[in-house]
Amino acid sequence: MSSTLIKCLNIAKTVGRVTFKNFLTASQNQLPSLSPAAVGGLLKCGVHTTAPVRNERLMEFFDDPKHWSENEVKVGRAWKADELRIKSNKELHQLWYILLKERNMLLTMEHECNDKMEIFPNPERIDKVKISMENLETVVRERNKAYHLLETGETGERPQRQVNNAFGLRCTYKSCEHVLPPFMNTKWIKSRNLAYGGRAVHKFLLKYREKLYNAKRKAKNRARNEVMMILRRNPNFDLELLKRKYADVDIDKLRRTDKTRGHFVPKVDA
C-alpha cells in the first residue's frame, strides 16, 4: 500500500472521529437540523445528547466552602405549622424543593465528614429540615382534606381501621385498591392474615400486658415519691402547681401522711 493512500485513510479517520465527537456534544435543540434517520438511530442507541453537566451544579450537593473548616454553623429554627398555613400553595411548593435540596446537601456533607473522619458541624440541621418537611406535609394534607370535604364530602385519605396483627396487638391497617375482590385474591389473604391465636400468642399477651402494667405502676410510684420529697423539703410549696404537674397523685391525701412532714421544728410566734 502506497504512502499516499495511508495518509488519506488516516485523515479520513481523524475527520470522522472529530465529527462524531462534535455530534455527541451537540445539544438536543440542534438535532432537528440533522436527518430524522440519524436522530432516531442516535436516540435508540442510548447516547446522551444534552450538554455536559457543569461542576457548579454538582457543588450544590455540598455546603458553602467557608463552612467546611468550621465547628459550628449559625442556623435558624425549623418552620412551624402556623407559619406555613399562611403561605400559598405556590410558596409551599417552592419551599418544599428548597428543603429537599437542603436535606440532600446535609446528608451528603454528613456522609463525606464520616468518610474523612471529620466533625460534621451542627448535625441538628438535619432534624430541623425533617421537622419542617413534616409540618409542610401536615399543612398540605389539611388543605387537601378541606378541599375534598367541600367537594365530595369525604376526606380523600386512604380508609384505615384498627385491627389485631399476628401478635394480637392493635395496629392501623390502611386499605388499598386491588383488581380482584377479597374472596378471590388468595395471595392477599395469605399475606394479610390479620387473625391471631395459639397458646404462644396468649402467653405473649399476658407477659406484654404485665410489662405495661408494671411500667405504669412504677411511673405512678415515682411521681408519688417526688411529691413527697417536695413536700418534705418545702412544706409551704404551691399546691396548685403540684396538682397541675402531678395530676395522677392525690396530694391532699399525701399531706396527711407522716412521710411528707419531714424533720423540722415549726416556727412559733413569740
Side-chain angles (χ1 to χ4, degrees), residues 121-169:
N122 295 79
E124 68 275 5
R125 290 183 291 173
I126 300 178
D127 298 332
K128 293 179 180 179
V129 172
K130 289 182 179 180
I131 293 173
S132 301
M133 298 179 75
E134 291 176 358
N135 292 337
L136 198 152
E137 286 183 341
T138 302
V139 173
V140 173
R141 188 174 292 109
E142 290 177 356
R143 296 184 181 182
N144 289 338
K145 286 183 179 180
Y147 174 78
H148 284 283
L149 286 173
L150 183 62
E151 294 291 333
T152 62
E154 299 179 356
T155 60
E157 298 283 335
R158 291 174 57 184
Q160 56 186 7
R161 64 182 187 273
Q162 294 291 328
V163 296
N164 294 323
N165 58 9
F167 297 100
L169 304 178

Side-chain angles (χ1 to χ4, degrees), residues 20-253:
F20 187 70
K21 186 182 296 184
N22 295 334
F23 185 75
L24 291 179
T25 56
S27 61
Q28 195 168 1
N29 297 330
Q30 298 174 355
L31 289 178
S33 61
L34 303 175
S35 61
V39 175
L42 186 61
L43 295 178
K44 289 181 180 179
C45 293
V47 179
H48 298 283
T49 57
T50 56
V53 180
R54 297 180 180 178
N55 295 330
E56 291 79 2
R57 298 181 182 178
L58 295 178
M59 289 303 296
E60 292 183 1
F61 285 97
F62 297 91
D63 200 358
D64 195 350
K66 66 181 181 181
H67 296 157
W68 290 358
S69 59
E70 296 184 2
N71 296 329
E72 184 179 0
V73 180
K74 295 183 179 180
V75 294
R77 57 171 174 81
W79 284 88
K80 297 181 180 179
D82 296 335
E83 298 173 347
L84 297 172
R85 289 190 179 98
I86 62 177
K87 293 187 176 296
S88 62
N89 293 334
K90 182 178 180 180
E91 292 175 345
L92 292 179
H93 190 262
Q94 294 174 353
L95 181 60
W96 173 263
Y97 279 98
I98 292 174
L99 293 173
L100 183 62
K101 290 179 63 177
E102 185 72 12
R103 187 190 66 176
N104 293 338
M105 183 272 293
L106 293 175
L107 293 177
T108 304
M109 290 298 301
E110 184 183 24
H111 182 272
E112 187 68 16
C113 291
N114 293 336
D115 191 21
K116 301 297 182 181
M117 291 184 292
E118 297 180 358
I119 299 176
F120 177 57
N122 295 79
E124 68 275 5
R125 290 183 291 173
I126 300 178
D127 298 332
K128 293 179 180 179
V129 172
K130 289 182 179 180
I131 293 173
S132 301
M133 298 179 75
E134 291 176 358
N135 292 337
L136 198 152
E137 286 183 341
T138 302
V139 173
V140 173
R141 188 174 292 109
E142 290 177 356
R143 296 184 181 182
N144 289 338
K145 286 183 179 180
Y147 174 78
H148 284 283
L149 286 173
L150 183 62
E151 294 291 333
T152 62
E154 299 179 356
T155 60
E157 298 283 335
R158 291 174 57 184
Q160 56 186 7
R161 64 182 187 273
Q162 294 291 328
V163 296
N164 294 323
N165 58 9
F167 297 100
L169 304 178
R170 302 291 291 177
C171 62
T172 303
Y173 174 75
K174 293 184 178 181
S175 303
C176 56
E177 295 183 357
H178 295 276
V179 179
L180 299 176
F183 64 91
M184 296 178 59
N185 197 347
T186 57
K187 183 178 180 181
W188 177 84
I189 295 175
K190 293 180 181 179
S191 62
R192 296 294 181 181
N193 187 11
L194 303 177
Y196 69 97
R199 185 180 303 174
V201 176
H202 288 289
K203 185 178 180 180
F204 164 75
L205 290 176
L206 289 175
K207 297 291 185 181
Y208 182 72
R209 291 165 184 166
E210 181 182 2
K211 180 181 178 181
L212 295 180
Y213 171 76
N214 291 333
K216 185 178 180 179
R217 176 178 56 84
K218 290 179 181 179
K220 186 176 181 180
N221 293 339
R222 193 181 305 112
R224 179 173 175 270
N225 294 335
E226 290 178 1
V227 173
M228 286 194 303
M229 291 299 297
I230 292 174
L231 293 177
R232 181 184 299 178
R233 296 177 181 177
N234 305 290
N236 300 324
F237 198 84
D238 189 2
L239 298 181
E240 297 297 331
L241 180 61
L242 284 177
K243 290 180 181 180
R244 287 197 301 267
K245 186 175 181 180
Y246 302 95
D248 299 334
V249 180
D250 191 355
I251 298 177
D252 296 332
K253 183 179 178 180

